[in-house]
Amino acid sequence: MLRKLIRILFNRNTTIIFMLLFQIAFLVLTILFLSQNYLSVYFGLAVLNIILVIYISNTSENPEYKLPWIIAMLVVPLLAGLAYLLVKGDVGHRKFKKNYARRVEETKKYLPQDKHTMQQLQELNISHANLSEYLLNYGGYPVYRNHESKFFPIGEEMFEAMKQEIKKAKYYIFLEFFIIDKGSMWEELLEILKQKASQGIDVRIMYDGFGTEFIMPMRYFTNLEKYKIKCKVFNNFKPFLTSSQNNRDHRKILVIDGHTAFTGGINIADEYVNRKVRFGHWKDGGMLCKGESAWSFVIMFLQLWHLEEIDNGKLEKYRPKEIYPSNYDGFIQPYGDSPTDGEYVGKSVYLDIINNAKNYVYIMTPYLILDNEMITALGLAAKKGVDVRILMPHIPDKWYVYSIAWSYYKALLEQHVRIFEYESGFLHAKNFSSDDNIGVVGTINLDYRSLYLHFECAAVLYGSQTVTEIRRDFEKTLEKSIEISLEDCQKRPLPKRIVSSVLRIFAPLL
């Protein structure tokens, strides 16, 4: 018992937590001391808060993001003002943003748009072509003829396909995941990666410094170098209060030889393939794409992997050595979203699909934290007669996020948006489908973190049979779901409604 207590007290995670708490406590005590003993300092900080409130009110940021800061400055004026300066000051983050912007600019030459492909998409559907032009011009990613795409309605199916494709690798295997956790899924995958690395294949793993480092032993990935597996941590979590801690790598990418790629909601941990029960049955989703479009995922990966290096044509060597056979099924456009450029690509794609829907929009998302713009778009589509349905988990992984989601239910239901909850467990898929002609599969949740703060990725499918498969999976999942009604919202106990309302105010900061 004593040994367990010592391990808990002196492990890395406990140290980080103590250091963060110490910084917060020091900041609070310093402010209290100054406010009690130095009237001029107190007055100065109060003036600073007034200036900040005026500044925040006049910024172009989302109103829902401004509100919690302004409320915090009214409730705890001294602490909130300094906290805002710390978060918005980009402390320790400017170099990263500069490097990333340079890297994106350098890699644009590797992602040219084939004009004939764009012209074909324009002939198929002009609104789809308009969205594609936006992703090209503001995301930097071209549209391709869809050689082959396959949708996986469950993590187990996708994992089996991932293993089979990895075994075929001849040149390189790139993995980028938010969470990699020890368990049978990871051990099984690791054994295959070791074999491929021993054959001289370039195997690289990139993981997030928050999503993975807290759950894996120290130096675990460093030790994989003995198997010739290269590993990098993205945005290593440091025990300091900086704004950079907000920007996590939430992407899930597997790329093989530049012609095969996987993405979706599935991380590398046993619950994602139902080998470990957490929150009931885990319902997820993902997709495989083969052909030219996989190249966009290669560039996404290498932009972060080679973040601090200067490109001298080095990325050319990663181009696929094999031409994938032409077996076209519509169009596909993989894309990434970055929190560093102020262009919220993931949100814009979702809004465009909702605004242009004619018959239906079906949405799977594990989290629902919306701004007014998204609520208005969903409501307007439903009022126009579009069948708008949102499918959420019934068993949440985070009680407070689930509580916030319920605060949106009533407003959406009153505008004829239909809401369902997957009764068998936790739904983690992030899928959109509309009118059987456009769909999205990726990592982007309908919450502030995914839409504004994280590095994310997805793929848009235009005029592909895969969109129909996404819709069918949605309908099949509805059979295991319950529909939420206005009466359900009214029957919720008053304490729960109060908690939801209070949490919603600060949702953009959670």
Side-chain angles (χ1 to χ4, degrees), residues 137-200:
N137 295 329
Y138 293 92
Y141 297 94
V143 64
Y144 306 88
R145 289 298 303 268
N146 183 13
H147 290 271
E148 180 185 340
S149 60
K150 179 176 176 56
F151 174 70
F152 300 100
I154 199 73
E156 294 91 312
E157 291 183 15
M158 180 164 157
F159 183 50
E160 289 303 315
M162 287 166 60
K163 290 186 293 182
Q164 294 305 313
E165 294 296 335
I166 289 173
K167 290 175 182 177
K168 299 176 188 176
K170 297 179 181 178
Y171 306 102
Y172 62 83
I173 303 164
F174 297 159
L175 298 98
E176 179 180 347
F177 285 88
F178 180 63
I179 293 174
I180 299 176
D181 194 7
K182 293 188 77 173
S184 64
M185 182 185 184
W186 169 239
E187 292 299 329
E188 199 172 319
L189 183 61
L190 181 59
E191 285 305 311
I192 302 172
L193 295 176
K194 288 178 184 177
Q195 292 173 15
K196 302 308 287 188
S198 69
Q199 297 167 10

Side-chain angles (χ1 to χ4, degrees), residues 34-52:
L34 290 173
S35 66
Q36 291 171 5
N37 296 275
Y38 298 96
L39 184 62
S40 58
V41 173
Y42 186 93
F43 179 76
L45 289 173
V47 171
L48 172 64
N49 268 18
I50 294 171
I51 294 171
L52 287 176

Side-chain angles (χ1 to χ4, degrees), residues 106-123:
E106 285 178 348
T107 52
K108 281 183 179 178
K109 62 188 176 187
Y110 298 107
L111 293 169
Q113 177 62 66
D114 179 73
K115 293 182 180 178
H116 182 60
T117 301
M118 182 62 78
Q119 184 180 354
Q120 289 178 314
L121 182 57
Q122 289 171 344
E123 293 170 358

